[in-house]
């Protein structure tokens, strides 16, 4: 007779380590020091979704541990290989795409000599074992972590569904209140199954639970309701199709939790179990009800935060959107494309979530005679304050631009305005200190007929020039200081300098703010240098240098990899590859030349096929403007200088040669008439050497003159005057189509 505990050979073989582990309801995984899988039991394959048995040289990360937990797995390996013990929870994505939460413990695998040769890990599905209480707090913490990083409602709801199906439920519905309606936003089910049409309501449908339904009870009482076993319960069905489907799939148990936050009901979260899956326990219990209630509290907070964030972001983006140009003007000889993107949301320590709307802006401003002002700028900082400052600067710049001053003069005035709008702040002693915002800006004026580009720069990144299949920075000799930082006593005229270049036919110019090239650090903390980023951008733009401006703008937007760290504005312009029609001629400033100027205009308008009615109107206004120039040229003689001598008068002799008394010869004055044809208008410009700008006068009933500019103002679409280096230019626009 054998002693107690003695085993037969058959029993000993049955209790061998391999046989025992094959039957264990716990995953056992063994790796070497390099994380190569050496052994896993059948339950490990079931829990992790396999690896295939042919992949014994695969990495431990192939168990399906989600990428966000890879750093945790690496730390685990380092700790255990030093002789420590580790216990915690992983998110695991199975081969079928489902996500489960796995509770794991890892211990060193030791050689008989005592050295650590690998890792032994045991694991089980969290919450589905006798140790649920221990798992509860760890899993709630991980659920909170996942929800905390979700800033959008749809993303939040998707994460909730992924966490709960199939880990904790076979079916998950989330319904949110929209006014007084309950609308289904999520309908998630076990992998490979979807409710047939006409049964459960789809996403987007309004849900109405009948009185007495357990979901209606949860909503009215604002408490979590458990239906432990449908076999022993009777509740009214939402509709016939729903009741029929519940019977077909064998619904066994359900929990409905209201989503409550700040005393307000956001909606409901519904979890259900059915016979579609084989579970150890097909029914929920009181512990599950309490746990789902705790989850619902976190879900409600996450949804509320997402709703508040989306509302704030929508408000800020709308604010920014309406501060930027609503529509771009149609301009002759110039193609334009623009883009604006706020940066992705960014968590800021102690300040919640930044919406990343900032002070980047662009603008396109029609100027005199078909010329156009082009602006790109960036206000330092983010949020509503930066956007508000941007709006004030944009409005001021548009007003300044109408004076048709040089780009350097415009930036000088904008620099002064930047100081004026500075908000006073208190220093340490309680005194008010005005700190102007720091703004970078570039203002350009482009003439499509001459292809001349004049510009001045206030600390902004140079535009990129795309021409002949190449991409390079536009050469700028003088880059002035950003607006608002000029040193006291240094006049703005000394800071901002005007430069002029000629754009080649068909050349494209890309203006951008630093958000285009600034990227957040990668997961490894690496960050490319500014030169590398700019090189990447130019390489991508070179591929599309000959494409339409819209395609260039799209290519620039995605050229630099990574998540943008700042809001981003892009403006792309391309010059015409054909010459625009223009006629110009210089005349002596004599009355007889008025008819000659009118004849030149009539011939040009006839050659350009301008409608006869519009051509006659334009010729009439040419006569008025040229007549005004000739009359003022005749009246603007050079005044003689007068010699004043004290004492008795001296006899005058013609032979005296006294400096200052001789007659000064008045040189012959001239004016230039320039005509331009656009797609929908013609522009007339008259240049002369008189520095006085014209203005409309109120002529009396008996006055013979004073009505010329009044006629121009009434009959032209637009008119104006601007100073030039030699004098001034008076211009007006006559539409050739419509009014």
């Amino acid at each position: 007779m054998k002693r107690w505990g003695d085993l037969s050979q058959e029993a000993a073989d049955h209790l061998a380590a391999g046989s025992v582990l094959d039957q264990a309801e716990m995953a056992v995984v063994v790796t070497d020091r390099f994380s190569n899988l050496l052994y896993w039991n059948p339950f490990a394959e079931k829990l992790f979704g396999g690896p295939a048995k042919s992949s014994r040289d695969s990495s431990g990360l192939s168990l399906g541990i989600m990428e966000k937990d890879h750093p945790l797995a690496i730390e685990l390996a380092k700790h255990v290989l030093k002789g420590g013990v580790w216990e915690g929870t992983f998110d695991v994505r199975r081969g079928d795409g489902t996500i489960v939460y796995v509770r794991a413990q890892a211990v060193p695998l030791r050689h008989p000599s005592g050295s650590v040769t690998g890792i032994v890990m045991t694991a089980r599905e969290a919450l589905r074992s006798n140790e649920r209480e221990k798992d509860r707090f760890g899993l709630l913490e991980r659920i909170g972590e996942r929800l905390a990083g979700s800033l959008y409602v749809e993303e939040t709801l998707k994460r909730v569904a992924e966490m709960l199906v199939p880990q904790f439920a076979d079916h998950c519905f989330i319904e949110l209140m929209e006014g007084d309606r309950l609308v289904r936003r999520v309908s998630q089910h076990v992998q490979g199954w979807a409710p047939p049409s006409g049964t459960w309501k789809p996403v987007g449908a309004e849900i109405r639970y009948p009185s007495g339904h357990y979901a209606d009870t949860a909503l009215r009482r604002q408490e979590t309701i458990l239906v432990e076993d449908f076999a022993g319960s009777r509740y009214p069905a939402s509709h016939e199709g729903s009741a029929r489907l519940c019977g077909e799939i064998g619904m066994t148990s359900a929990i409905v939790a209201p989503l409550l936050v700040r005393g307000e009901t956001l909606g409901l979260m519904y979890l259900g179990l059915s016979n579609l899956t084989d579970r150890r326990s097909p029914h929920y219990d009181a512990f599950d009800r309490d746990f789902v209630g705790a989850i619902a509290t976190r879900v409600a907070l996450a949804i509320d935060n997402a709703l508040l964030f989306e509302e704030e972001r929508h408000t800020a983006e709308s604010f920014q959107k309406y501060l930027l140009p609503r529509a771009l003007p149609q301009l002759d000889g110039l193609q334009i494309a623009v883009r604006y993107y706020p940066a992705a949301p960014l968590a800021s320590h102690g300040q919640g979530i930044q919406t990343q709307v900032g002070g980047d802006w662009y603008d396109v401003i029609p100027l005199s005679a078909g010329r156009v002002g082009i602006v790109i700028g960036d206000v330092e900082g983010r949020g509503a304050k930066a956007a508000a400052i941007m709006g004030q600067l944009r409005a001021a710049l548009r007003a300044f631009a109408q004076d048709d001053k040089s780009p350097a003069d415009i930036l000088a005035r904008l620099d002064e305005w930047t100081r004026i709008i500075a908000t006073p702040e208190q220093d340490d002693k309680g005194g008010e200190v005005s700190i102007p915002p720091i703004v970078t800006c570039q203002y350009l004026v482009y003439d499509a007929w001459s292809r001349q580009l004049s510009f001045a720069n206030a600390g902004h990144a140079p535009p990129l020039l795309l021409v002949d299949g190449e991409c390079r920075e536009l050469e700028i000799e003088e880059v002035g200081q950003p607006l608002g930082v000029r040193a006291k006593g240094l006049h703005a005229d000394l800071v901002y300098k005007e430069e002029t270049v000629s754009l080649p036919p068909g050349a494209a110019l890309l203006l951008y703010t630093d958000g285009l090239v600034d990227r957040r650090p990668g997961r490894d903390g690496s960050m490319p240098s500014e030169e590398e980023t700019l090189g990447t951008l130019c390489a991508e733009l070179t591929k599309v240098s000959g494409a339409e401006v819209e395609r260039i703008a799209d290519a620039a937007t995605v050229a630099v990899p990574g998540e943008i760290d700042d809001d981003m504005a892009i403006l792309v312009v391309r010059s015409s590859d054909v010459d625009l029609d223009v006629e110009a001629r210089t005349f002596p400033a004599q009355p007889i030349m008025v008819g000659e100027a009118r004849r030149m205009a009539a011939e040009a308008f006839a050659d350009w096929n301008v409608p006869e009615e519009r051509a006659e109107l334009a010729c009439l206004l040419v006569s008025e403007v040229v007549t005004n120039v000739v009359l003022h040229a005749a009246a603007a003689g050079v005044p003689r200088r007068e010699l004043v001598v004290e004492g008795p008068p001296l006899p005058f002799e013609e032979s005296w040669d006294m400096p200052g008394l001789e007659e000064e010869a008045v040189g012959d004055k001239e004016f230039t008439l320039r005509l331009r044809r656009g797609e929908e208008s013609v522009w007339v410009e008259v240049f002369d050497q008189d520095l006085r700008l014209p203005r409309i006068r109120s002529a009396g009933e008996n006055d013979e003159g004073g009505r010329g500019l009044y006629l121009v103002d009434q009959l032209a679409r637009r008119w104006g005057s601007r100073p030039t280096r030699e004098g001034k230019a008076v211009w007006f626009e006559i539409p050739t189509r419509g009014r």
Side-chain angles (χ1 to χ4, degrees):
M1 181 178 179
K2 293 187 176 180
R3 293 175 298 171
W4 176 258
D6 289 345
L7 300 176
S8 64
Q9 185 60 43
E10 180 180 357
D13 293 340
H14 181 68
L15 293 177
S19 299
V20 172
L21 293 177
D22 284 349
Q23 299 181 49
E25 289 290 315
M26 176 175 287
V28 179
V29 179
V30 182
T31 70
D32 62 15
R33 293 185 60 88
F34 305 101
S35 297
N36 296 315
L37 291 174
L38 303 177
Y39 171 82
W40 58 89
N41 66 342
F43 192 83
E45 296 191 25
K46 178 180 178 181
L47 178 63
F48 294 109
K53 291 193 175 183
S54 60
S55 61
R56 293 187 177 274
D57 58 344
S58 60
S59 167
L61 296 180
S62 67
L63 291 172
I65 297 175
M66 294 181 67
E67 185 176 356
K68 69 183 185 65
D69 281 342
H70 283 185
L72 183 64
I74 293 171
E75 289 301 317
L76 174 157
K78 291 180 179 179
H79 179 72
V80 175
L81 290 175
K82 292 178 180 179
V85 176
W86 184 92
E87 185 173 358
T89 306
F90 287 114
D91 293 357
V92 172
R93 185 183 295 276
R94 293 170 168 168
D96 60 3
T98 58
I99 298 175
V100 294
Y101 294 85
V102 173
R103 186 74 177 176
Q105 183 182 59
V107 298
L109 175 67
R110 296 186 181 276
H111 189 268
S113 64
S115 62
V116 178
T117 59
I119 298 172
V120 178
M121 183 173 68
T122 58
R124 54 183 172 75
E125 185 178 352
L127 288 180
R128 310 309 297 175
S129 73
N130 293 330
E131 299 186 40
R132 292 188 298 174
E133 190 66 34
K134 182 187 297 185
D135 298 337
R136 178 176 183 174
F137 297 105
L139 188 53
L140 280 176
E141 181 180 355
R142 293 188 65 79
I143 290 174
E145 289 175 357
R146 293 200 67 191
L147 291 178
S150 179
L151 299 176
Y152 300 96
V153 174
E154 295 301 327
E155 179 185 3
T156 300
L157 298 179
K158 180 182 178 182
R159 290 190 178 188
V160 170
E162 286 182 347
M163 285 187 295
L164 298 175
V165 178
Q167 173 81 22
F168 197 71
D170 297 329
H171 313 278
C172 174
F173 300 109
I174 298 179
E175 291 131 12
L176 299 183
M177 300 298 299
E178 295 183 5
D180 58 351
R181 301 166 61 241
L182 190 63
V183 178
R184 181 156 291 170
R185 301 290 294 273
V186 168
S187 179
Q188 182 86 6
H189 309 278
V190 290
Q191 189 76 15
W193 186 87
S197 177
T199 55
W200 288 339
K201 293 289 183 69
V203 172
E206 181 179 359
I207 305 300
R208 295 183 178 180
Y209 292 109
S211 179
H213 192 281
Y214 51 93
D216 178 67
T217 303
L219 198 60
R220 285 188 294 102
R221 295 183 181 177
Q222 295 190 348
E223 64 181 43
T224 304
I225 300 298
L226 165 68
V227 181
E228 190 168 348
D229 190 353
F230 278 112
S233 307
R234 292 292 181 268
Y235 295 97
S238 301
H239 54 86
E240 183 179 349
S242 175
R244 185 175 64 254
L245 181 62
C246 288
E248 291 176 358
I249 64 175
M251 287 290 293
T252 58
S253 189
I255 298 176
V256 183
L259 302 174
L260 305 173
V261 64
R262 294 185 286 113
E264 181 181 356
T265 302
L266 301 181
L268 289 174
M269 183 173 69
Y270 180 111
L271 302 179
L273 296 175
S274 69
N275 292 330
L276 292 177
T277 57
D278 181 18
R279 297 179 183 270
R280 176 181 298 179
S281 174
H283 301 282
Y284 291 125
D285 57 19
F287 175 85
D288 295 323
R289 178 194 60 203
D290 296 341
F291 180 68
V292 171
I295 293 177
T297 300
R298 286 159 173 76
V299 171
L301 285 171
I303 293 174
D304 186 55
N305 287 337
L307 288 170
L308 291 174
F309 172 76
E310 287 192 356
E311 181 179 356
E312 177 189 353
R313 184 175 176 85
H314 175 73
T315 301
E317 287 183 356
S318 297
F319 182 43
Q320 175 93 13
K321 175 183 176 182
Y322 286 101
L323 287 175
L324 293 173
R326 299 293 301 276
L328 296 177
Q330 295 294 323
L331 300 168
D332 291 297
L334 200 63
Q335 299 177 21
I336 306 173
V338 295
R339 297 288 186 274
Y340 173 78
Y341 297 97
L346 178 67
S348 58
H349 300 293
Q351 298 179 355
I353 302 297
Q354 292 182 353
T355 61
Q356 294 296 83
V357 174
D360 290 14
W361 93 93
Y362 57 83
D363 208 349
V364 179
I365 308 169
L367 301 176
S368 62
R371 296 155 63 247
V372 57
I374 303 170
V375 188
I376 193 81
D378 186 359
V379 179
E380 184 183 49
R382 295 170 181 149
K385 180 179 179 181
I389 293 173
M390 176 271 290
Q392 295 181 70
L393 292 177
R394 175 176 173 260
L397 193 148
R398 287 187 72 91
F400 298 155
Q402 299 309 313
D403 290 342
D404 264 328
K405 295 291 184 64
S406 70
D409 289 337
I410 298 297
L411 287 187
R413 294 188 65 183
L414 197 63
D415 177 70
E416 293 295 337
W417 184 254
T418 303
R419 299 168 186 276
I420 291 174
I421 65 175
T423 304
E425 299 180 3
Q426 289 189 342
D427 59 15
D428 296 338
K429 299 180 180 179
E432 287 192 349
V433 179
S434 181
I435 303 177
I438 298 176
V439 184
T440 65
C441 181
Q442 183 151 21
Y443 180 62
L444 310 91
V445 175
Y446 180 65
D447 188 330
W449 280 262
S450 64
R451 295 196 179 89
Q452 292 293 308
L453 182 72
S454 302
F455 57 88
N457 191 296
H460 202 81
L464 297 179
L465 179 63
L466 304 176
V467 60
D468 297 331
E470 297 182 356
C471 174
R472 63 178 184 273
E473 287 189 341
L474 184 69
E475 295 184 5
I476 299 179
E477 296 180 3
E478 298 274 353
V479 177
Q481 293 293 327
L483 305 177
V485 300
R486 174 169 52 88
K488 290 184 177 181
L490 184 63
H491 195 270
D493 291 343
L494 303 176
V495 179
Y496 306 114
K497 302 295 183 181
E498 180 181 358
E499 301 178 44
T500 302
V501 298
S502 294
L503 283 187
L509 205 62
L510 184 140
L511 295 84
Y512 63 94
T513 58
D514 54 10
L516 177 62
V517 293
D518 287 349
R519 288 296 186 268
R520 294 180 186 171
R523 294 185 177 181
D524 58 355
S526 62
M527 197 169 176
S529 65
E530 184 176 344
E531 292 76 11
E532 293 173 339
T533 303
L534 194 59
T536 301
L537 176 60
C538 281
E540 293 299 318
L541 292 178
T542 300
K543 300 176 184 177
V544 294
S545 60
E548 294 293 323
V549 290
E550 292 289 342
R551 187 178 173 192
I552 293 176
D554 290 335
T557 301
V558 298
V560 181
E563 196 171 33
I564 64 175
D565 193 45
D566 196 359
D567 57 332
M568 172 175 67
I570 299 174
L571 191 151
V572 184
V573 297
R574 183 187 290 283
S575 66
S576 174
D577 54 2
V578 297
D579 294 333
L580 303 184
D581 291 326
V582 59
E583 293 285 346
R585 181 179 166 187
T586 300
F587 301 89
Q590 300 172 2
I592 196 174
M593 291 294 106
V594 175
E596 290 295 322
R598 180 167 180 149
R599 185 177 299 109
M600 169 196 163
E603 292 174 355
F605 295 150
D607 292 341
W608 294 342
N609 296 319
V610 176
E612 183 177 354
E613 178 185 357
R614 300 306 171 92
E616 290 180 356
L617 175 60
C619 288
L620 171 64
L621 299 187
V622 167
S623 297
E624 294 295 336
V625 174
V626 171
T627 299
N628 194 61
V629 168
V630 170
L631 290 177
H632 282 84
V638 178
R640 298 173 180 267
R641 281 173 286 183
E642 182 178 346
L643 177 64
V644 178
V645 181
E646 296 181 356
L650 298 176
F652 178 76
E653 295 185 9
E654 293 183 359
S655 60
W656 285 6
D657 185 13
M658 298 182 64
L661 288 179
E662 70 272 19
E663 269 193 30
E664 297 187 18
V666 179
D668 293 336
K669 295 189 177 181
E670 298 177 330
F671 69 88
T672 299
L673 175 64
R674 185 167 72 184
L675 311 173
R676 293 178 165 188
R677 184 182 71 163
E679 184 70 22
E680 297 184 352
S681 298
V682 292
W683 285 273
V684 176
E685 294 175 285
V686 180
F687 300 84
D688 67 0
Q689 292 80 40
D690 192 348
L691 296 175
R692 295 171 296 177
L693 297 179
R695 60 184 179 87
I696 298 176
R697 293 191 295 127
S698 298
E701 293 182 2
N702 299 320
D703 291 347
E704 295 181 1
R707 298 178 178 84
L709 288 182
Y710 177 79
L711 284 176
V712 175
D713 182 65
Q714 293 297 309
L715 299 177
R717 173 186 284 176
R718 293 192 305 151
W719 80 278
S721 61
R722 70 176 186 273
T724 63
R725 293 180 179 178
E726 295 79 16
K728 69 174 182 298
V730 180
W731 62 274
F732 62 85
E733 176 187 356
I734 297 294
T736 56
R737 298 180 185 176
R739 294 194 59 178

